[in-house]
Amino acid sequence: MEEDSEILYPDPGLWTKTSLIQLYYGILVNLTSVTFGIAFSFSSVMVPQLLTVDPKIITSMTEESLIVSVLPLTTMIGNVISGFLMDTHGRRLTLIICEVPMIIGWFIIGFATTAIELIIGRLILGLGCGMGMIPPRAYVTEISLPNMRGVNGSFSSVGIALGVILQAIFGAFMKWPSLACLNGFYSVVLVLLAFIFPETPYFLLMTSTPEKTKMTLRKFRSVHYNIEAEMDTLLEFKSDNRLRRLSLHEQMQMLFSKSACKPFSMIVTYIIISQLVGINLLLMWTIEMLDKSKSSVDPDAGNIALAIVRLLVGIGTSFLMLKVGRKILALVSSLGVFVVCLFFGIYISYNTQQSVLPFVFFMLYVIVASIGYYPLPMLLIFELSPLQIRGVIGGLGIATLNGTTFAVNALYLPICSLIGFANVTLGFSIFSLIGALYVYFYLPETKDLTLQEIEEFFNERRPTLTSQRRIRSMMALSRQLGSAESRSLMRIKSKSFNR
């Protein structure tokens, strides 16, 4: 029974019914994340076709750069809008609303006849992507117990990787207008799917009655799970922190409080570093980068292979989070990217012939980046954010990510033309080394901690980031072992006395 195992372990195991229910909702809600991989990697399929397959739409270098880089620009606006919507109207409704601009954007792109129409379509699509990036991550953070939060939270990166694969596969044999319309129909399916999701218990804790919160919480736990103990903890958390729906003015006040600014600055720094090491550049410019590095592997085949590797490593990392802390994964990823990009940059500087080695370096880069740089920034922003402004902080954090992505993509071609692809790669290496130092000294560990424990640490209600549940479980185990040892000694003494 799950509740019996809680004496020894704070949370049910992976294959218990409670964990599988959370896994089910985590997978379903992150089907929205597939859209982001589709949208961000669509340009790597469309731009080469614009240059070679479809001469009807003539694009300049500036227009080509805008078609690729403009998506993150409106994504930032969508992030902020979504954050406020989510904190006022809920996670579920925001999931439904975000798909509307995605549908409009995809069909504008699909029927475009000029470069301007393509840019407008990408702008609207970016708005939808920005709105959709926030609620899935907040949703899985708030429905999951601590042991499943890392698994479900990293599924966003898995969904993005799956979207990249789908675009690479379909883009190999479909023309970009048909592909854009297919993507639009997928967003229609997501709108219908979102209606089956319950609201999260944490949002209802803040805005509704304990009875409704408990009723919703039951949908994410099995009948064997001790829901009463969890509800007691949630209600105590609500009482201690005076949780309620905040007005816009109150949200702004809380946004500038120490309990919000400190975690926000921590994670935003990590987000900026993650973009400066090139993780989204590779996503958007895969085919061009393979060509610049003199890879002998067919660019389309290489694009598909890298996407598959990203997906497989992402799935592996999701389950690795059950056992390994966030900080260790972040360190391994940052040091790995540092080493790979250092040797890759040196290799490109001296290589003059086509070979398979550049593709091997790209594959190694994707592997080590997928362990930390891809999944962790988005997971941590929602783990560290206070409940009452989780949407707002998440929106601002992801807006920072997309702003950095826009700037990096807009500058990529000019900088690459100025200093060369080899030096750009060496730059990734330097930034990743800085990232490793930052992770080691400043990034907090959140594994096994409840959202309440994390929030109360940053608002100074708790002195340290330690899992009180795990401490209580260890004490209970110690008492059990002590009782068992005492009973054993009593039996031995009884036998000696009887003799």
Side-chain angles (χ1 to χ4, degrees):
M1 298 286 285
E2 291 176 21
E3 56 186 335
D4 295 332
S5 67
E6 289 172 36
I7 297 172
L8 303 182
Y9 305 101
D11 300 316
L14 175 62
W15 302 114
T16 58
K17 191 172 181 181
T18 290
S19 294
L20 292 175
I21 291 170
Q22 295 167 68
L23 195 66
Y24 165 75
Y25 280 106
I27 291 171
L28 278 187
V29 79
N30 275 303
L31 291 177
T32 301
S33 299
V34 176
T35 306
F36 315 143
I38 288 172
F40 277 85
S41 62
F42 180 75
S43 59
S44 69
V45 172
M46 179 175 62
V47 172
Q49 287 190 19
L50 282 172
L51 298 176
T52 58
V53 178
D54 193 352
K56 294 177 185 177
I57 299 180
I58 307 299
T59 57
S60 64
M61 180 176 167
T62 301
E63 288 171 332
E64 180 186 336
S65 181
L66 280 173
I67 288 169
V68 175
S69 62
V70 79
L71 185 76
L73 184 63
T74 47
T75 300
M76 291 187 291
I77 301 171
N79 294 150
V80 178
I81 293 172
S82 179
F84 283 100
L85 277 176
M86 207 174 71
D87 284 339
T88 53
H89 299 292
R91 287 53 166 147
R92 176 178 172 271
L93 183 60
T94 310
L95 273 169
I96 296 168
I97 294 172
C98 73
E99 295 296 337
V100 176
M102 289 191 202
I103 295 168
I104 295 170
W106 279 124
F107 284 110
I108 289 177
I109 293 169
F111 291 100
T113 55
T114 66
I116 296 298
E117 289 174 358
L118 287 176
I119 293 169
I120 291 170
R122 293 279 285 177
L123 283 168
I124 297 172
L125 179 63
L127 183 68
C129 284
M131 293 176 66
M133 281 181 173
I134 316 300
R137 292 173 167 97
Y139 193 95
V140 296
T141 298
E142 294 181 359
I143 69 166
S144 302
L145 290 165
N147 68 320
M148 291 299 294
R149 207 169 57 232
V151 177
N152 277 342
S154 59
F155 278 165
S156 292
S157 296
V158 173
I160 292 171
L162 180 59
V164 173
I165 289 177
L166 292 174
Q167 286 306 275
I169 292 173
F170 287 115
F173 63 87
M174 287 181 70
K175 289 190 176 181
W176 63 264
S178 301
L179 186 56
C181 291
L182 180 63
N183 296 336
F185 284 117
Y186 177 70
S187 289
V188 173
V189 173
L190 291 178
V191 171
L192 302 176
L193 183 64
F195 281 98
I196 73 169
F197 298 138
E199 186 51 84
T200 70
Y202 276 87
F203 182 75
L204 293 177
L205 178 73
M206 186 172 63
T207 61
S208 189
T209 63
E211 291 74 23
K212 287 185 178 179
T213 303
K214 186 175 182 179
M215 190 184 306
T216 300
L217 185 62
R218 286 189 186 280
K219 296 178 182 179
F220 301 108
R221 309 288 184 261
S222 79
V223 294
H224 303 299
Y225 182 76
N226 185 3
I227 197 172
E228 300 297 335
E230 187 174 2
M231 272 303 301
D232 288 343
T233 304
L234 289 175
L235 292 174
E236 182 184 353
F237 174 59
K238 179 177 182 176
S239 175
D240 290 346
N241 294 274
R242 300 177 183 177
L243 298 180
R244 57 187 173 81
R245 197 198 308 256
L246 301 179
S247 67
L248 180 60
H249 177 68
E250 289 172 324
Q251 285 180 330
M252 291 298 98
Q253 282 185 321
M254 190 172 182
L255 188 62
F256 291 99
S257 66
K258 184 179 178 181
S259 62
C261 287
K262 186 175 180 181
F264 181 74
S265 61
M266 281 180 173
I267 194 59
V268 160
T269 304
Y270 185 51
I271 283 172
I272 292 172
I273 292 169
S274 73
Q275 295 309 300
L276 293 177
V277 303
I279 60 170
N280 277 337
L281 273 179
L282 179 60
L283 196 67
M284 295 182 174
W285 297 92
T286 306
I287 293 175
E288 286 78 3
M289 283 186 170
L290 285 169
D291 183 59
K292 284 181 182 293
S293 62
K294 295 186 174 63
S295 170
S296 60
V297 176
D298 176 71
D300 288 319
N303 190 18
I304 295 171
L306 290 173
I308 292 172
V309 170
R310 186 184 292 111
L311 175 65
L312 294 176
V313 177
I315 293 171
T317 302
S318 297
F319 291 98
L320 193 62
M321 287 191 188
L322 284 167
K323 301 293 183 183
V324 183
R326 286 43 157 168
K327 194 162 186 171
I328 293 174
L329 291 174
L331 272 173
V332 170
S333 183
S334 52
L335 289 173
V337 169
F338 162 67
V339 172
V340 170
C341 288
L342 178 64
F343 284 101
F344 190 23
I346 294 170
Y347 172 81
I348 296 170
S349 299
Y350 294 98
N351 181 51
T352 57
Q353 296 180 340
Q354 284 194 333
S355 77
V356 75
L357 273 178
F359 178 74
V360 173
F361 277 115
F362 275 117
M363 187 167 288
L364 290 173
Y365 175 92
V366 167
I367 289 170
V368 291
S370 297
I371 292 171
Y373 278 131
Y374 279 113
L376 290 179
M378 297 301 95
L379 171 63
L380 289 171
I381 190 71
F382 291 100
E383 285 190 330
L384 301 182
S385 301
L387 173 61
Q388 290 169 292
I389 53 169
R390 183 164 291 146
V392 175
I393 286 191
L396 292 173
I398 299 181
T400 303
L401 182 150
N402 288 306
T404 312
T405 301
F406 171 75
V408 167
N409 272 280
L411 294 172
Y412 168 67
L413 285 179
I415 290 178
C416 203
S417 299
L418 183 66
I419 65 174
F421 184 61
N423 288 321
V424 169
T425 306
L426 290 172
F428 296 159
S429 177
I430 293 169
F431 282 119
S432 196
L433 180 60
I434 294 170
L437 295 172
Y438 178 77
V439 166
Y440 182 79
F441 288 108
Y442 296 107
L443 202 67
E445 179 58 76
T446 58
K447 186 180 183 299
D448 294 329
L449 297 171
T450 65
L451 296 176
Q452 301 97 293
E453 288 169 338
I454 296 169
E455 181 165 342
E456 289 183 346
F457 168 75
F458 284 109
N459 65 25
E460 298 181 341
R461 289 180 179 273
R462 292 180 184 270
T464 58
L465 265 176
T466 54
S467 174
Q468 300 301 315
R469 300 172 320 121
R470 187 162 294 277
I471 291 172
R472 287 194 296 268
S473 297
M474 291 174 66
M475 290 173 65
L477 177 60
S478 177
R479 286 196 296 269
Q480 282 189 349
L481 293 174
S483 298
E485 186 177 348
S486 296
R487 287 194 297 270
S488 177
L489 287 171
M490 289 292 290
R491 283 195 296 270
I492 292 171
K493 288 179 179 180
S494 177
K495 287 179 182 179
S496 300
F497 180 79
N498 290 334
R499 287 174 186 170

